[in-house]
Amino acid sequence: MQSWTNYHSHCHYCDGKYAPEIHIKAALQQGVKIYGFSSHSPLFVPTTWNMKMERLKDYLQEINRLKEQYQADIQIYTGMEVDFIPGSTQVDSPYIQEAGLDYTIGSIHFVDSFADGTPWEVDGGHQLFLKGLKDIFDGNVQQAIKRYFERTREMLQTACPDVLGHMDKIKIQCEEGQLFSENEDWYREEVLATLEVAQQSGVIIEVNTRGVYKKKLPDAYPSRWILEEILKLDIPVMLNADSHHPDEITANFSESASMLQDIGFKTFRILHQNKWQDVPFTSEGLFIP
């Protein structure tokens, strides 16, 4: 029997909706057999979407309780989506290491800082993106995008997570190709350089469906042409929803799995019985042993 997995999820401990148990019940209804919680890690900069440090202990305890309560029905894993802010937060920061996580997702949400020291959030509102582009990079979009991918490579080389989250999320700011285009040589060079580092690091690259089911993008993170390069480099992938609501846990999974099959992928890498394993899949789900 085939079933789904999802390791990128958010609940009410960060910017997601509802308590963790509600997500588990929804996951079971959607045919999910392995589920990972990955709340945004606490940060030392103010945001509206990260877990508060004072809630971290409760988060860990609640997920552990659910592991025991639902162990006969579903495998549950404790993770966090960890930002990479050198000198502040990364997957090897003491408070992340001390959490005893089952896995980490490493994502780039911030690139450099404004003059007052405030980190520039690159995947938030577009006006904030444009302000950082103007104030930090003098409007040079190539330099800003290159910095994003440089930061990604720096994370993979110095504090590598288990999973690379939405590796090309910066494309959400492209203004439908008017501000910058994935077809430009300089952009493709940055992506390919990042994939080379990813291959060397051993990281898993997630195929993240959120941009599609939220109707912000025509395809997943990363784009199809990038996935074709990932296959050539034999970098492992997994399918994740980046869900923030119980209804999103398997959103666009069947379509994305079909697309990945069409490209030529045969397996997804999953955390199963506390080990990373490669398992076959179809558009109907994964064959989990």
Side-chain angles (χ1 to χ4, degrees):
M1 181 179 294
Q2 292 173 261
S3 55
W4 293 113
T5 66
N6 180 37
Y7 299 89
H8 193 157
S9 70
H10 302 280
C11 59
H12 71 178
Y13 278 95
C14 56
D15 60 344
K17 305 295 184 183
Y18 306 116
E21 187 169 7
I22 293 176
H23 291 258
I24 292 300
K25 290 179 177 179
L28 288 168
Q29 292 174 349
Q30 295 175 45
V32 173
K33 292 301 182 184
I34 306 177
Y35 193 81
F37 288 96
S38 60
S39 284
H40 290 289
S41 65
L43 294 179
F44 299 104
V45 297
T47 74
T48 59
W49 41 271
N50 285 83
M51 189 188 333
K52 303 301 181 185
M53 188 69 78
E54 58 267 25
R55 300 199 74 193
L56 176 56
K57 182 178 179 181
D58 290 341
Y59 170 73
L60 298 172
Q61 290 179 341
E62 184 163 359
I63 306 308
N64 282 333
R65 177 182 64 79
L66 292 173
K67 286 182 180 182
E68 294 184 12
Q69 182 178 344
Y70 287 91
Q71 61 182 327
D73 304 309
I74 187 171
Q75 289 183 55
I76 299 174
Y77 290 101
T78 310
M80 279 196 286
E81 184 175 10
V82 184
D83 278 274
F84 180 70
I85 306 176
S88 176
T89 301
Q90 51 197 51
V91 296
D92 57 0
S93 293
Y95 74 100
I96 301 295
Q97 292 292 304
E98 291 165 6
L101 303 173
D102 297 315
Y103 69 99
T104 55
I105 298 174
S107 299
I108 302 299
H109 295 106
F110 299 97
V111 174
D112 294 351
S113 301
F114 291 98
D116 66 357
T118 302
W120 177 37
E121 184 182 345
V122 297
D123 75 336
H126 190 57
Q127 291 306 309
L128 176 60
F129 179 82
L130 293 176
K131 177 175 172 55
L133 180 60
K134 177 179 179 293
D135 292 356
I136 302 172
F137 292 94
D138 295 322
N140 189 325
V141 70
Q142 288 192 32
Q143 290 302 315
I145 305 305
K146 286 181 178 181
R147 191 74 186 94
Y148 170 84
F149 284 111
E150 285 173 1
R151 181 59 58 86
T152 303
R153 295 193 291 270
E154 184 182 357
M155 174 177 69
L156 296 176
Q157 290 170 325
T158 64
C160 190
D162 296 303
V163 180
L164 176 57
H166 45 63
M167 70 161 285
D168 63 342
K169 194 171 186 183
I170 196 76
K171 71 183 179 184
I172 203 170
Q173 305 289 3
C174 75
E175 296 180 359
E176 298 182 343
Q178 297 303 306
L179 188 59
F180 63 91
S181 170
E182 293 184 72
N183 294 323
E184 296 179 77
D185 289 343
W186 65 266
Y187 186 94
R188 288 181 173 250
E189 288 170 3
E190 287 299 320
V191 169
L192 294 176
T194 303
L195 292 182
E196 287 183 13
V197 174
Q199 181 191 44
Q200 295 165 4
S201 73
V203 75
I204 304 161
I205 295 181
E206 72 166 7
V207 180
N208 182 314
T209 63
R210 185 167 180 79
V212 181
Y213 67 76
K214 297 299 284 186
K215 303 187 185 306
K216 294 182 177 181
L217 293 166
D219 57 2
Y221 309 111
S223 297
R224 181 177 177 125
W225 72 268
I226 301 176
L227 288 166
E228 291 171 352
E229 297 297 329
I230 288 171
L231 180 62
K232 291 176 185 176
L233 293 170
D234 197 29
I235 299 171
V237 299
M238 62 164 46
L239 184 61
N240 284 330
D242 199 349
S243 54
H244 287 64
H245 188 283
D247 293 344
E248 300 170 348
I249 290 170
T250 58
N252 203 247
F253 271 19
S254 181
E255 298 88 341
S256 295
S258 180
M259 179 265 294
L260 288 160
Q261 273 191 305
D262 184 58
I263 291 172
F265 285 93
K266 304 296 184 185
T267 61
F268 289 154
R269 184 156 295 180
I270 64 171
L271 186 57
H272 173 48
Q273 297 178 345
N274 295 302
K275 295 180 180 179
W276 292 107
Q277 304 179 37
D278 293 321
V279 299
F281 70 94
T282 72
S283 62
E284 301 302 315
L286 292 76
F287 295 94
I288 300 174

